[in-house]
Amino acid sequence: MLNYDKSRFERIFRDSSNEREILVHNASFFQDTLKRFKKNKGAVVGLIVITIVLFFSLIGPFMNSYKYDQVMTEYEKLPPRIPIVEKLGILDGTIVETKTKARAKINPDYERIVKEYVVNGKEMVDVERNIYKEKGFDDVYFWFGTDTLGRDQWTRVWTGTRVSFYIAFLAVLIDMVIGITYGMISGYKGGRTDTIMQRVVEIIVGIPRLVIVTLLVLVLNPGLMSITLALILTGWIGMSRVVRSQVLKLKSFEFILASRTLGSSDSQIIIKDILPNIFGQVLVMSMFSVPSAIFYESFLAFIGLGLQPPMASLGVLISDGYKSIMVYPHMLLFPVVILALLMLTFNLLADGLRDALDPKMKEE
Amino acid sequence: MKKILRVNDLRISFKTNSGNVQAIRGVSFNLFKGETLAIVGESGSGKSVTTKAIMGMLANNATVEQGSILFDGNDILKLTKRELTKIRGSRISMIFQDPMTSLNPTMTIGKQIMESMLEHRKMKRSDAKIKVIELLDLVGIESPSKRFKSYPHQLSGGMRQRVVIAIALASEPDILIADEPTTALDVTIQSQILELIKELQMKLKISIIFITHDLGVVANMADRVAVMYAGKIVEYGLSDEIYYDSKHPYTWGLLASVPDMSTKVDMLYSIPGTTPNLISPPVGDAFAYRSEHTLKIDFEEQPPFFKVSDTHYVASWLLHEYAPKIEMPEHLQRRIKLMLSEEY
Amino acid sequence: MTKYILKRLGMAALTLLVILFILFLLLEFMPGSPFNDEKLSPDQIANLNALYGLDKSPVIRFLIFVKNVVLHQDFGISFVIKKNAAISDMISSRIGITIKIGLQAILIGTVTGIVLGVIAGIKRNTIFDTLTTIIAVLGVSIPSYVFALGLSYYFGYKMRLFPITFDIDDTVRSMVLPSIALSMFVIAQTARFMRMELIDIFKSDYIQLAESKGLSNLKVIIRHALRNAMIPVITVLGPLLVGLMTGSLVVEKIFGIPGIGSLLIQAIQVNDFNVVIAIAFIYSFLYIFVNLLVDLLYGIIDPRIRVQGGGTNA
Ligand SMILES: Nc1ncnc2c1ncn2[C@@H]1O[C@H](COP(=O)(O)OP(=O)(O)OP(=O)(O)O)[C@@H](O)[C@H]1O
Ligand SMILES: [Mg+2]
């Protein structure tokens, strides 16, 4: 056996300082969550992009002197043109048209041929035309171009984005207020109340949201009001179900039973014991309802059941732009990109939150 | 006696987001033919990982850092996937902890039992079916031919565990690994299942590795016991040596926390503190933080195995000649004796 | 099982009744009755009123309304889009194409989605997995009408592979782009769900048990994982239907398809109440019917539900 110094075999008696050492590793739940969230690149990028878009939707409409509904027919259908960037050859106020060579009369002041080729034996050319020069608007800049009535797209896009944020906010609010309250009452009270409330939910779920909106539009006229009402009528169902099942689960837990025997009132139990325990899930759930609400507004506007022009929302802009998609794709481009970006980033954010709050899902 | 399985200095780690979990940190033991080896330890001590390694079923994020598992002259850790599937389920098979989740919910139990027979023994379907019914009978399921077509959810927990056992036995294995096969069951059913396993071992002469965190469960069953803590074996010996003459304070803690069935006391002893973080395991004896008998050296150096007898080894500095002499607490000895004599 | 079916049937009937009631109320209180056409003579109005029971008490009227709708599929007549044409005729000539495109989209979507999801679930953390995740995220994030616009712009306008707008003489090629546009959402959802299910199932105890039997990976996947993963995927079919409905509206609008979606939009825009209400009813009916079907299918495929109530006798 090796030689050991005898002194190393002295006994050590436990005192509290030893124990504390072990506990150091336990970071708090919140810090853990934050750490996991930060590790999720998609979610962080999502949050940043959402912040930037929100910033522009607030500031954007004031960044130039045009109003979102200001019609300037002389400026109609202009492509985007941004100072400085235009020198790079993009967003420089040009559009490209395809013509047969025979027909193309090039005016060198504002037109040039970018490509020549043969299709089916016909000689074709792609002609790049600078509309601003053609019309003599040398010092005019519309950053996102204009629409068919000469309204400034930049202002309209960011004004329209505000509607999406309003809808996002509304969706979360409805989840948080109606969804939680309904689920909480249904789950906590139980018994007959629960049965009746769940029947009601089942019936509402049985009616497609599209039908509810359609009927509301029929009664109220298309617009933000009917969308808001439709969301209030249907937006909270998913959340109430989740909250109810969570409450049912929690109700039977010992700490809640204990709390009740100690004489806590129902509201105390709900606020102190139940809400904190379901908060994570509620937050994630409400984040997931955001993209679908944003989509719904834009969808309704697109088919003409939502906001109506001259009001601007991303759906309205897409609906307008789609009418001239063949000739002026830029009118469609910006609202579509922003809409897709919003839906994508809210989805990423919700995913990230879920993974951060529920580490079990992502062990490996 | 013949060694059927030899695990040598096994070290396994898992890659995770927060770092490398060193789940198994040098585990060695032998399984003798026809014997039952109990591996005992708290949750997280590495029991399941050890058995998964033997089955060649480690998770994807696992790395075997070192060691070997010799079975039939081959190192299981070095076999190809194909060779592994030939051993797994045919020579070594396994019973899982939770019968409620370990059966496929959408397949009849007959089919689930038949599967490994068809796979490994190349039987005809009709023969296999007869064999399945015999097996169901063997594991104590009533009207087995009717039960053949049942789905798992139509059976109670105890029944399901019998089915799981039947699945494990279907290929007539040499080694049966039972990973806490009774933990998820009621006490009465628990003892029925234990009885069944014991009986089956007598009849079929298989070698068993029995995993549990409750030394009481294996008292009358195990020939040898390995006590695991934080990815290491801390004490290893014949059953009697562990129950009546254990030397490691952790083993004492486990013995003290065996539920006392005769007195039906609800107050259960549990070892104070929690298991250490295996991402950065303690330098010295991992149990030092929780032990009542801690030495200075425990925080500095890991204890080697001290030999108590030819069959009994203990990894604790308390067995060093310089260490103060500390014996298994008297009252614990008495309690264990009493318990083992009257209960089982 | 019988009890389960009965309960589901009862709930579906109740929901349908509630919808009928709402629609009835709307018809009663909407400004402008269906027969306020100034060209109708008082006699004709009285006749029509008698025909639709408008001279009876509200309860009787509701019953008549239900009877007309349920038994005779009679929704009255259109008074704007196609004056005095029976709505049931207008709908029956259009509903076929809507359903056909919807079914095609479901078929393309679920098959592609399941295949992608299975590959991604099995080949965790490989390029396939990443690709599927990207498709799934994009499919969920990008609205179906944006897809439809993109498809019609590139494959219709730029490349001229398919007609941009619906062509009666070339229905087969005309339906390709709309079906694909609609199916994107279905692909995304099923792929995502399938992948998640499989990953969960691979962690489950019964897969471990199957592996411990010494089955090859392929056998474990086919015999044990796939079937169990498919079952919950059926449950997303219901929500997918909602996506399909909204999708069909925009897709019909974009590609100019003469289905009931475009009819609905038109009817709302010109305030043709009867038509709106009729289509609202049809959408609700389809929705309830498919959801019922899905639930029953679920019951048939999942033995746990199949024997519910009378099974546990061990
Ligand atoms: N796939 C994995 N990834 C990361 N860590 C793992 C993995 N599998 C096991 N571990 C870790 O390895 C350690 C030992 O786990 P193991 O499952 O062997 O414990 P156990 O002794 O079987 O406990 P129990 O009684 O709870 O079953 C634990 O700390 C566990 O967290
Ligand atoms: Mg275990």
Side-chain angles (χ1 to χ4, degrees):
Chain A
M1 197 171 286
L2 288 166
N3 255 340
Y4 285 98
D5 182 0
K6 220 168 180 167
S7 70
R8 295 173 72 190
F9 289 85
E10 263 168 39
R11 284 191 70 167
I12 293 180
F13 290 93
R14 179 180 308 276
D15 63 11
S16 44
S17 65
N18 276 353
E19 273 172 29
R20 204 168 302 135
E21 243 174 284
I22 315 171
L23 294 173
V24 188
H25 283 293
N26 283 346
S28 79
F29 175 71
F30 177 74
Q31 281 170 324
D32 261 7
T33 306
L34 196 67
K35 208 170 114 194
R36 278 193 298 267
F37 183 82
K38 279 187 189 158
K39 264 194 182 168
N40 187 328
K41 279 187 216 107
V44 173
V45 171
L47 192 61
I48 294 173
V49 172
I50 291 172
T51 316
I52 294 174
V53 175
L54 179 64
F55 173 80
F56 273 106
S57 82
L58 294 175
I59 307 298
F62 303 114
M63 288 173 69
N64 59 34
S65 58
Y66 307 113
K67 286 246 192 47
Y68 76 90
D69 55 354
Q70 186 180 352
V71 175
M72 300 166 285
T73 33
E74 68 274 25
Y75 292 140
E76 64 172 26
K77 299 174 191 161
L78 290 176
R81 183 185 185 199
I82 303 179
I84 302 167
V85 180
E86 66 179 334
K87 303 220 164 65
L88 303 172
I90 48 161
L91 304 176
D92 54 359
T94 58
I95 59 169
V96 175
E97 289 164 328
T98 305
K99 295 178 177 171
T100 53
K101 193 165 186 186
R103 284 236 218 115
K105 287 183 210 125
I106 304 296
N107 183 334
D109 287 346
Y110 53 86
E111 280 177 330
R112 66 192 181 90
I113 293 173
V114 281
K115 203 164 136 199
E116 289 185 48
Y117 50 95
V118 180
V119 177
N120 298 339
K122 273 192 207 155
E123 279 184 289
M124 307 291 288
V125 284
D126 281 354
V127 180
E128 186 191 85
R129 183 150 62 105
N130 189 320
I131 315 265
Y132 286 75
K133 278 194 188 147
E134 179 186 1
K135 297 197 172 165
F137 303 144
D138 281 343
D139 287 334
V140 177
Y141 289 91
F142 286 100
W143 299 332
F144 282 179
T146 59
D147 67 6
T148 43
L149 296 174
R151 289 177 295 209
D152 176 39
Q153 277 287 90
W154 170 274
T155 313
R156 281 182 75 69
V157 164
W158 296 121
T159 311
T161 309
R162 288 179 185 179
V163 175
S164 298
F165 277 110
Y166 161 76
I167 294 289
F169 175 74
L170 187 71
V172 172
L173 195 73
I174 288 169
D175 266 346
M176 293 281 180
V177 177
I178 309 180
I180 293 182
T181 316
Y182 196 98
M184 193 75 88
I185 294 176
S186 184
Y188 196 81
K189 283 260 184 268
R192 278 272 289 283
T193 323
D194 183 40
T195 315
I196 294 172
M197 289 178 89
Q198 286 317 301
R199 284 291 165 279
V200 173
V201 163
E202 275 174 56
I203 288 178
I204 300 182
V205 173
I207 310 175
R209 195 193 258 192
L210 179 65
V211 168
I212 294 181
V213 181
T214 310
L215 298 180
L216 275 172
V217 168
L218 209 58
V219 182
L220 291 176
N221 293 330
L224 216 46
M225 190 62 202
S226 26
I227 297 170
T228 306
L229 261 180
L231 275 180
I232 290 178
L233 279 178
T234 60
W236 49 271
I237 301 279
M239 177 65 90
S240 81
R241 287 184 154 182
V242 169
V243 169
R244 172 174 173 271
S245 69
Q246 286 300 310
V247 171
L248 282 181
K249 210 164 77 189
L250 284 172
K251 229 170 53 171
S252 58
F253 278 11
E254 264 167 45
F255 71 100
I256 299 224
L257 293 177
S259 178
R260 185 172 291 161
T261 41
L262 288 176
S264 303
S265 71
D266 285 352
S267 54
Q268 272 172 327
I269 292 179
I270 287 175
I271 291 170
K272 279 221 200 104
D273 296 329
I274 296 186
L275 275 183
N277 274 299
I278 58 174
F279 181 73
Q281 231 182 338
V282 164
L283 188 73
V284 171
M285 198 64 208
S286 66
M287 275 300 133
F288 272 114
S289 66
V290 165
S292 72
I294 292 182
F295 161 74
Y296 225 76
E297 183 281 322
S298 77
F299 155 76
L300 288 174
F302 180 74
I303 60 172
L305 303 186
L307 253 67
Q308 303 289 319
M311 300 285 278
S313 87
L314 293 176
V316 171
L317 295 177
I318 293 171
S319 175
D320 279 352
Y322 139 77
K323 289 170 196 149
S324 10
I325 179 176
M326 308 304 171
V327 204
Y328 305 106
H330 71 266
M331 282 187 209
L332 198 57
L333 181 70
F334 295 101
V336 160
V337 167
I338 305 256
L339 179 68
L341 210 57
L342 275 182
M343 289 188 45
L344 181 69
T345 50
F346 270 112
N347 268 320
L348 289 177
L349 183 65
D351 270 340
L353 273 180
R354 182 191 56 205
D355 295 345
L357 284 164
D358 189 3
K360 273 172 290 161
M361 308 261 316
K362 259 218 162 163
E363 234 162 38
E364 287 139 62
Chain B
M1 193 162 282
K2 206 182 145 209
K3 291 173 189 168
I4 188 164
L5 185 83
R6 287 159 55 177
V7 177
N8 295 314
D9 196 22
L10 188 64
R11 284 167 204 270
I12 295 171
S13 70
F14 292 96
K15 272 203 199 67
T16 67
N17 282 340
S18 24
N20 256 7
V21 179
Q22 295 169 34
I24 305 295
R25 308 184 295 144
V27 162
S28 310
F29 61 81
N30 298 318
L31 177 66
F32 293 89
K33 195 165 169 49
E35 278 196 1
T36 298
L37 168 71
I39 302 183
V40 190
E42 282 171 295
S43 188
S45 51
K47 306 174 306 267
S48 295
V49 174
T50 308
T51 59
K52 294 248 175 73
I54 297 172
M55 292 293 287
M57 280 171 55
L58 284 168
N60 292 334
N61 58 335
T63 321
V64 178
E65 315 265 353
Q66 198 180 315
S68 60
I69 299 175
L70 298 176
F71 173 70
D72 234 10
N74 291 318
D75 184 352
I76 288 181
L77 297 170
K78 297 210 170 69
L79 294 181
T80 61
K81 262 193 177 173
R82 189 165 261 259
E83 290 167 328
L84 260 179
T85 53
K86 279 199 188 124
I87 292 182
R88 195 197 287 158
S90 94
R91 314 271 323 265
I92 308 180
S93 61
M94 185 155 177
I95 308 172
F96 290 84
Q97 170 169 352
D98 189 354
M100 301 317 264
T101 56
S102 52
L103 290 170
N104 181 344
T106 58
M107 196 187 259
T108 60
I109 59 171
K111 266 194 187 158
Q112 295 191 53
I113 300 173
M114 209 152 73
E115 231 182 349
S116 67
M117 293 181 186
L118 299 176
E119 186 72 25
H120 297 293
R121 294 164 63 188
K122 308 285 172 243
M123 294 171 97
K124 264 195 277 172
R125 219 157 233 288
S126 49
D127 295 346
K129 194 166 170 178
I130 293 168
K131 191 84 207 329
V132 168
I133 291 168
E134 279 173 25
L135 255 179
L136 282 173
D137 193 40
L138 182 70
V139 297
I141 285 180
E142 281 164 38
S143 48
S145 45
K146 263 201 233 155
R147 280 297 174 204
F148 186 90
K149 280 210 161 74
S150 292
Y151 285 96
H153 67 95
Q154 293 167 293
L155 306 180
S156 68
M159 289 291 204
R160 289 192 210 188
Q161 197 61 311
R162 287 170 194 267
V163 171
V164 174
I165 293 172
I167 291 176
L169 297 177
S171 55
E172 298 178 356
D174 303 318
I175 300 177
L176 178 68
I177 301 176
D179 191 349
E180 311 211 24
T182 60
T183 314
L185 302 170
D186 296 347
V187 181
T188 44
I189 298 170
Q190 207 168 348
S191 50
Q192 289 172 11
I193 297 288
L194 284 177
E195 272 311 308
L196 175 67
I197 296 178
K198 240 189 289 179
E199 216 177 278
L200 290 171
Q201 177 173 34
M202 303 280 226
K203 272 191 208 155
L204 308 172
K205 308 266 179 273
I206 40 181
S207 318
I208 296 181
I209 298 181
F210 195 104
I211 310 280
T212 177
H213 58 256
D214 180 355
L215 266 169
V217 165
V218 283
N220 268 8
M221 194 170 163
D223 298 292
R224 282 165 218 267
V225 177
V227 178
M228 263 189 104
Y229 182 73
K232 293 184 137 202
I233 288 177
V234 295
E235 183 158 10
Y236 176 71
L238 292 174
S239 201
D240 282 351
E241 291 168 327
I242 299 294
Y243 284 95
Y244 299 115
D245 189 26
S246 55
K247 302 290 184 194
H248 200 289
Y250 181 63
T251 314
W252 300 340
L254 287 180
L255 282 170
S257 45
V258 169
D260 197 338
M261 288 200 249
S262 55
T263 48
K264 295 252 175 353
V265 199
D266 267 351
M267 293 287 285
L268 263 188
Y269 173 80
S270 70
I271 307 169
T274 51
T275 46
N277 177 348
L278 291 178
I279 293 175
S280 45
V283 186
D285 185 339
F287 188 60
Y289 293 93
R290 302 170 67 190
S291 176
E292 281 173 44
H293 317 284
T294 312
L295 307 178
K296 215 169 147 205
I297 193 170
D298 281 336
F299 294 105
E300 297 162 357
E301 206 173 321
Q302 298 196 11
F305 268 115
F306 293 91
K307 181 171 169 180
V308 180
S309 75
D310 279 346
T311 47
H312 189 183
Y313 294 83
V314 181
S316 166
W317 285 116
L318 289 176
L319 276 91
H320 193 272
E321 52 177 328
Y322 291 157
K325 291 284 158 281
I326 294 167
E327 286 293 323
M328 185 169 171
E330 190 99 356
H331 65 272
L332 186 59
Q333 286 190 19
R334 250 178 299 148
R335 182 167 169 247
I336 295 295
K337 275 205 184 103
L338 197 71
M339 228 177 67
L340 294 183
S341 60
E342 68 179 35
E343 194 59 40
Y344 300 96
Chain C
M1 180 69 183
T2 334
K3 211 175 134 199
Y4 170 73
I5 293 179
L6 284 180
K7 190 183 163 238
R8 286 294 293 112
L9 276 175
M11 217 44 226
L14 184 62
T15 313
L16 214 56
L17 206 64
V18 169
I19 291 171
L20 279 170
F21 184 65
I22 297 172
L23 296 181
F24 172 73
L25 284 185
L26 280 174
L27 273 182
E28 290 275 297
F29 294 110
M30 278 321 283
S33 100
F35 321 123
N36 64 350
D37 192 324
E38 59 284 0
K39 278 179 217 144
L40 291 174
S41 71
D43 262 5
Q44 278 173 308
I45 290 184
N47 269 343
L48 281 171
N49 275 347
L51 182 63
Y52 290 100
L54 292 188
D55 49 350
K56 309 254 170 50
S57 77
V59 179
I60 304 279
R61 282 212 300 279
F62 178 58
L63 291 179
I64 292 176
F65 173 73
V66 172
K67 192 188 94 192
N68 282 343
V69 168
V70 176
L71 292 184
H72 311 299
Q73 290 84 47
D74 181 357
F75 297 97
I77 51 169
S78 154
F79 59 99
V80 182
I81 294 180
K82 223 181 185 180
K83 217 154 234 178
N84 296 339
I87 293 174
S88 47
D89 292 341
M90 288 167 71
I91 289 175
S92 61
S93 68
R94 283 165 162 258
I95 196 167
I97 185 121
T98 300
I99 290 183
K100 198 164 177 188
I101 292 179
L103 285 180
Q104 278 175 358
I106 282 261
L107 205 68
I108 301 174
T110 43
V111 171
T112 323
I114 286 174
V115 170
L116 282 178
V118 167
I119 295 175
I122 294 172
K123 305 251 170 221
R124 263 325 272 297
N125 302 326
T126 59
I127 180 100
F128 298 106
D129 191 17
T130 321
L131 216 66
T132 306
T133 309
I134 290 176
I135 292 178
V137 171
L138 287 185
V140 175
S141 302
I142 297 181
S144 51
Y145 64 89
V146 173
F147 269 120
L149 287 175
L151 288 178
S152 91
Y153 186 70
Y154 278 102
F155 296 105
Y157 174 68
K158 284 251 154 137
M159 304 177 64
R160 299 190 189 278
L161 288 176
F162 299 99
I164 301 175
T165 52
F166 194 79
D167 183 352
I168 301 275
D169 301 323
D170 192 2
T171 47
V172 176
R173 279 183 57 230
S174 297
M175 286 199 299
V176 173
L177 292 182
S179 301
I180 293 177
L182 264 184
S183 68
M184 275 317 288
F185 181 72
V186 183
I187 293 177
Q189 289 284 10
T190 30
R192 187 161 136 140
F193 205 74
M194 191 74 197
R195 172 177 177 274
M196 257 167 34
E197 259 326 301
L198 268 183
I199 289 171
D200 265 5
I201 285 176
F202 281 134
K203 283 189 202 145
S204 73
D205 288 353
Y206 63 82
I207 292 298
Q208 301 238 324
L209 182 80
E211 271 173 26
S212 84
K213 288 180 191 168
L215 300 177
S216 66
N217 273 347
L218 194 69
K219 280 183 188 157
V220 171
I221 290 168
I222 292 177
R223 282 195 211 153
H224 294 273
L226 278 190
R227 178 181 171 122
N228 286 296
M230 293 287 229
I231 291 173
V233 169
I234 296 174
T235 53
V236 279
L237 287 181
L240 281 181
L241 188 72
V242 183
L244 275 187
M245 273 184 190
T246 53
S248 77
L249 252 66
V250 285
V251 164
E252 286 183 15
K253 174 178 162 147
I254 289 172
F255 292 97
I257 296 164
I260 56 170
S262 48
L263 182 64
L264 176 64
I265 297 178
Q266 197 190 354
I268 292 175
Q269 274 157 358
V270 298
N271 272 334
D272 200 338
F273 297 136
N274 281 9
V275 177
V276 174
I277 279 169
I279 297 180
F281 176 78
I282 292 197
Y283 269 139
S284 309
F285 178 79
L286 281 178
Y287 180 69
I288 291 168
F289 178 73
V290 173
N291 271 332
L292 189 68
L293 215 63
V294 165
D295 272 8
L296 296 184
L297 197 66
Y298 196 72
I300 290 169
I301 294 190
D302 192 337
R304 277 162 299 186
I305 293 181
R306 201 189 308 163
V307 228
Q308 208 176 39
T312 326
N313 44 3

